[in-house]
Amino acid sequence: MHTVQPPPIDNAVRDRDETLPRAELEALQLTRLREVVERVAHVPFYREAFALRGITARTIKSLDDLRRLPFTTKDDLRRHHPLGFITVPREQLARIHGSSGTTGKPTFVAYTAKDLQTWSDLCARFLVAGGLQPRHTVHVAFGYGLFTGGFGLHYGIEKVGAAVVPAASGNTRRQIEIIQDLGAEVLVCTPSYALTIAETAREMGIDPRRLPLKFGHFGAEPWTEEMRQQIEADLDILAFNNYGLSEVIGPGVSGECAHRDGMHIQEDHFLVECLDPDTLESVGDGEEGELVFTALTKEAMPLLRYRTRDIARLTREPCACGRTTVRMSRVTGRTDDMLIIRGVNVFPSQIEEALLRVEGTTPHYMIEVERPGTLDQLTVKVEVLPELLSDRMDRMQRLKDRIGKEILTVAGIRANVELAAPRTLERFTGKAKRVVDKRGQN
Ligand code: DLL
């Protein structure tokens, strides 16, 4: 059994604006919404949309007027490639990042020097909310590059005053040695990479639970509660979730506090909506919908009503930490990674949840969808613990049946299950890519 301590409930808050009374927060948001509408009014995309709808900063009377503003999508960014959404002259830019997306060229996002300050503050806030203190050493195993994860977290950690080890991605064995040598108490990476670190440590003959790590801030890809438990058990740490996307700022949009009951959205900087992706009407609190963000304080490239395609729920129930901000659930899927298999909507997170319910499976898996004839066929390959790979066909078959049954219960779909030996499926240093959709290729 693992012995993870209960969360350190110290309710640390970095900034008074995280705990503003609702009315004050909304007044601040309204002022900032007017400012950002003014700021983007000369960006060609918004200029046209504003002209059609009769929008000027002065017509924004209340936060409800947000609904009159146009949406912005990834396709809009692509159409105005590379930097058609910037509001400042090129010479005022201080940094440019990019988001790889699933296809084609990266879409670029730009920052002024002040944006970089704002961004570090936002990352510092969620790190502090989740236990980071100046005395800590933090191992960052995110890629440093166009991806916002490495640099975003890096400057946030520095802002807190902790020591950052910019290990970046790759060479897991070396990373483990560095964690050991420098005694890092905090790990920052994707949740899947946290598991790879644990697994590689075991291969090196090191008990991952004996690494100096005490807690970790993980994000950049979807993960489940079951996966959190696994990471916590494997590394004997507390695992915190944080969320963000390049188009909105990068990491720092939201993160968990010590109570770990949803991620606090940094609402003094971002307006959030949760919408039915088809009707684009608001869904109620507690209901799943697509998250849509408006950046209120960015200078270089603030986007209005950016459609994230991330599905989550919002709650305005008060949190014991004292922050007054709305919280979002885990991202349960994306409107565009949703697989439709024989008419059933399936999110990869459902498959993961099912797999992790079965004793003996590991969170290393691949989902393949094919259409050999006219019917879709789903295959789930999962690595199992070595002791479960046996010569006894009947035992292997029983395990496969159990996994298949769980997938049917959770996702409502029948799958072919293939058991794989440990370390045979691909590992990822950045975001895990677990779905191979081969339909439409023949
Ligand atoms: O992944 C920013 C980030 C870096 C967040 C490091 C957290 C930590 P992008 O590369 O633009 O930016 O990818 C954004 O990743 O729309 C979500 O689908 C997914 N995502 C990010 N964080 C989470 C999370 C960064 N905690 C896309 N849970 C988003 C689930 C996440 N999905």
Side-chain angles (χ1 to χ4, degrees):
M1 271 315 286
H2 69 102
T3 53
V4 173
Q5 300 298 311
I9 309 277
D10 63 4
N11 293 344
V13 173
R14 238 183 92 79
D15 191 331
R16 187 179 158 268
D17 286 354
E18 294 178 78
T19 58
L20 287 180
R22 201 68 215 170
E24 248 180 84
L25 175 63
E26 288 179 5
L28 179 67
Q29 289 177 321
L30 180 58
T31 308
R32 290 180 169 175
L33 181 61
R34 288 199 189 108
E35 283 167 6
V36 75
V37 166
E38 179 88 54
R39 171 173 281 282
V40 300
H42 65 271
V43 170
F45 174 81
Y46 292 122
R47 191 175 57 217
E48 276 171 37
F50 286 4
L52 280 174
R53 296 159 198 238
I55 296 165
T56 63
R58 261 182 298 151
T59 67
I60 306 293
K61 306 275 188 220
S62 78
L63 287 178
D64 286 340
D65 286 320
L66 179 66
R67 279 190 245 144
R68 296 172 43 224
L69 301 180
F71 289 104
T72 315
T73 64
K74 185 100 171 168
D75 279 341
D76 296 326
L77 297 183
R78 287 211 186 94
R79 271 194 287 273
H80 295 82
H81 192 78
L83 287 170
F85 276 83
I86 58 174
T87 70
V88 294
R90 271 297 282 266
E91 57 268 28
Q92 282 180 31
L93 296 186
R95 179 98 64 78
I96 297 168
H97 279 283
S99 156
S100 54
T102 41
T103 47
K105 290 186 194 176
T107 44
F108 293 117
V109 292
Y111 305 76
T112 62
K114 179 160 172 256
D115 289 335
L116 294 177
Q117 284 300 329
T118 308
W119 189 19
S120 336
D121 279 334
L122 291 172
C123 287
R125 277 186 183 177
F126 80 73
L127 289 164
V128 165
L132 187 65
Q133 295 180 9
R135 66 183 160 84
H136 288 133
T137 298
V138 190
H139 185 95
V140 179
F142 271 134
Y144 281 66
L146 283 181
F147 174 55
T148 52
F151 283 102
L153 267 299
H154 182 101
Y155 286 103
I157 296 158
E158 284 194 352
K159 193 79 167 208
V160 176
V164 52
V165 183
S169 56
N171 198 340
T172 310
R173 286 175 174 250
R174 197 172 140 259
Q175 303 232 11
I176 291 164
E177 283 163 13
I178 296 173
I179 292 173
Q180 277 186 318
D181 289 351
L182 296 178
E185 302 98 338
V186 189
L187 177 62
V188 164
C189 56
T190 55
S192 52
Y193 195 60
L195 287 172
T196 302
I197 288 182
E199 179 181 59
T200 308
R202 279 193 293 267
E203 283 172 8
M204 293 163 74
I206 297 166
D207 178 356
R209 296 167 55 87
R210 291 185 169 269
L211 290 173
L213 300 171
K214 301 231 165 9
F215 60 101
H217 282 274
F218 307 116
E221 67 183 11
W223 50 315
T224 53
E225 203 51 44
E226 287 77 8
M227 188 143 163
R228 161 146 52 199
Q229 283 162 20
Q230 176 104 37
I231 292 171
E232 294 194 334
D234 279 7
L235 288 165
D236 196 20
I237 60 172
L238 285 169
F240 293 87
N241 194 2
N242 73 88
Y243 166 89
L245 59 163
S246 339
E247 294 84 353
V248 176
I249 199 159
V253 175
S254 69
E256 285 179 329
C257 68
H259 297 269
R260 303 193 301 167
D261 185 18
M263 293 181 274
H264 288 275
I265 296 175
Q266 313 229 40
E267 277 188 286
D268 49 335
H269 293 265
F270 310 106
L271 279 178
V272 63
E273 299 168 86
C274 188
L275 307 181
D276 178 316
D278 298 321
T279 64
L280 298 177
E281 292 296 324
S282 278
V283 301
D285 282 357
E287 283 175 42
E288 284 197 337
E290 179 182 342
L291 298 181
V292 172
F293 288 98
T294 297
L296 293 173
T297 52
K298 268 170 65 187
E299 287 187 335
M301 199 177 139
L303 299 182
L304 303 183
R305 305 189 84 194
Y306 184 71
R307 291 193 57 182
T308 63
R309 309 219 165 256
D310 291 323
I311 303 287
R313 298 180 305 274
L314 297 181
T315 174
R316 279 161 236 270
E317 293 287 310
C319 179
C321 73
R323 284 176 186 75
T324 48
T325 40
V326 61
R327 279 167 290 148
M328 59 182 269
S329 67
R330 287 180 176 287
V331 173
T332 51
R334 287 179 51 84
T335 55
D336 55 3
D337 81 358
M338 188 176 75
L339 294 161
I340 304 183
I341 303 169
R342 299 194 291 269
V344 181
N345 294 352
V346 180
F347 284 108
S349 61
Q350 293 175 301
I351 307 276
E352 181 179 304
E353 187 187 327
L355 289 175
L356 291 176
R357 282 189 187 180
V358 180
E359 185 105 0
T361 58
T362 69
H364 303 291
Y365 63 92
M366 283 298 298
I367 299 170
E368 272 179 22
V369 197
E370 290 167 288
R371 189 173 293 156
T374 50
L375 266 191
D376 297 334
Q377 192 172 298
L378 168 69
T379 303
V380 177
K381 298 183 182 171
V382 58
E383 287 183 16
V384 292
L385 298 177
E387 55 270 29
L388 286 171
L389 282 174
S390 80
D391 313 332
R392 301 241 333 253
M393 292 299 283
D394 57 338
R395 279 183 55 186
M396 301 278 281
Q397 193 54 48
R398 269 206 305 277
L399 182 59
K400 282 197 209 178
D401 289 347
R402 274 231 41 218
I403 295 172
K405 228 164 125 191
E406 279 308 328
I407 294 175
L408 187 61
T409 310
V410 179
I413 179 107
R414 281 186 201 287
N416 302 325
V417 177
E418 288 182 16
L419 305 182
R423 299 294 290 185
T424 53
L425 298 181
E426 192 178 346
R427 293 295 185 269
F428 307 94
T429 52
K431 292 170 196 274
K433 289 188 198 67
R434 304 193 196 273
V435 179
V436 182
D437 196 338
K438 295 181 176 162
R439 291 175 294 186
Q441 284 180 6
N442 24 6

